[in-house]
Amino acid sequence: MIECSILVPFYNAVRWLPAFVRCIAKQKLADCELIFLDDASSDNSMGISKDELATYGMEARILAHGTNLGVSVARQTLLDAATGEYVIFADPDDWMDADMYKELVVAAKETGADVVWEDFFDTSRSEERFSRNAETD
């Protein structure tokens, strides 16, 4: 069994996907699968995600809904497709430290927890700050 599934639903996320994929590429998890789901975006989110994944030599399953079904259905579709012992839901506007996902999995294993989480910073007021942090971290 794969240790961890990173599940990423997206809809019209072109502006965030490049920085997000850079963050995912820096994660220090060796045994994980990456699954993206395009919830019928009307922009080029699918193309950008494929291009960015290829840039970093990352493999991912990319699923797609034919019509927009909303984030709850998208997350369930991803969960149904996941094969990992642990699952992590990530959104394209997220930015994370390089060892965050590894720390979450280690914490879950060490404590036997059903749920673990990290604190967060709200960078929604400054997209420029988000892009700058994702590029330099």
Side-chain angles (χ1 to χ4, degrees):
M1 175 180 276
I2 291 173
E3 185 172 61
C4 181
S5 299
I6 301 172
L7 310 177
V8 185
F10 63 86
Y11 174 77
N12 290 346
V14 164
R15 65 200 283 191
W16 298 289
L17 280 165
F20 174 78
V21 173
R22 279 192 298 274
C23 284
I24 293 292
K26 294 176 184 177
Q27 290 302 302
K28 297 174 183 169
L29 277 172
D31 187 26
C32 71
E33 67 179 343
L34 181 59
I35 309 174
F36 281 41
L37 179 114
D38 183 353
D39 194 24
S41 296
S42 59
D43 63 7
N44 190 30
S45 291
M46 178 75 83
I48 294 295
S49 62
K50 288 179 180 179
D51 291 347
E52 291 297 321
L53 290 164
T55 295
Y56 293 96
M58 297 173 62
E59 292 185 26
R61 281 191 283 162
I62 302 179
L63 310 176
H65 283 161
T67 58
N68 181 267
L69 300 175
V71 70
S72 295
V73 174
R75 287 181 186 274
Q76 187 61 54
T77 299
L78 286 163
L79 195 55
D80 291 343
T83 62
E85 181 179 0
Y86 301 100
V87 297
I88 296 172
F89 283 106
D91 295 313
D93 61 347
D94 290 349
W95 171 84
M96 66 289 299
D97 289 330
D99 57 352
M100 185 178 104
Y101 291 164
K102 182 178 179 180
E103 288 178 3
L104 290 172
V105 170
V106 167
K109 286 181 172 183
E110 287 178 352
T111 64
D114 291 330
V115 176
V116 294
W117 70 91
E118 290 276 346
D119 206 351
F120 65 93
F121 297 98
D122 182 359
T123 61
S124 63
R125 296 185 193 159
S126 175
E127 289 179 28
E128 177 184 335
R129 184 172 141 204
F130 169 78
S131 296
R132 185 175 59 247
N133 285 342
E135 290 172 9
T136 60
D137 183 44

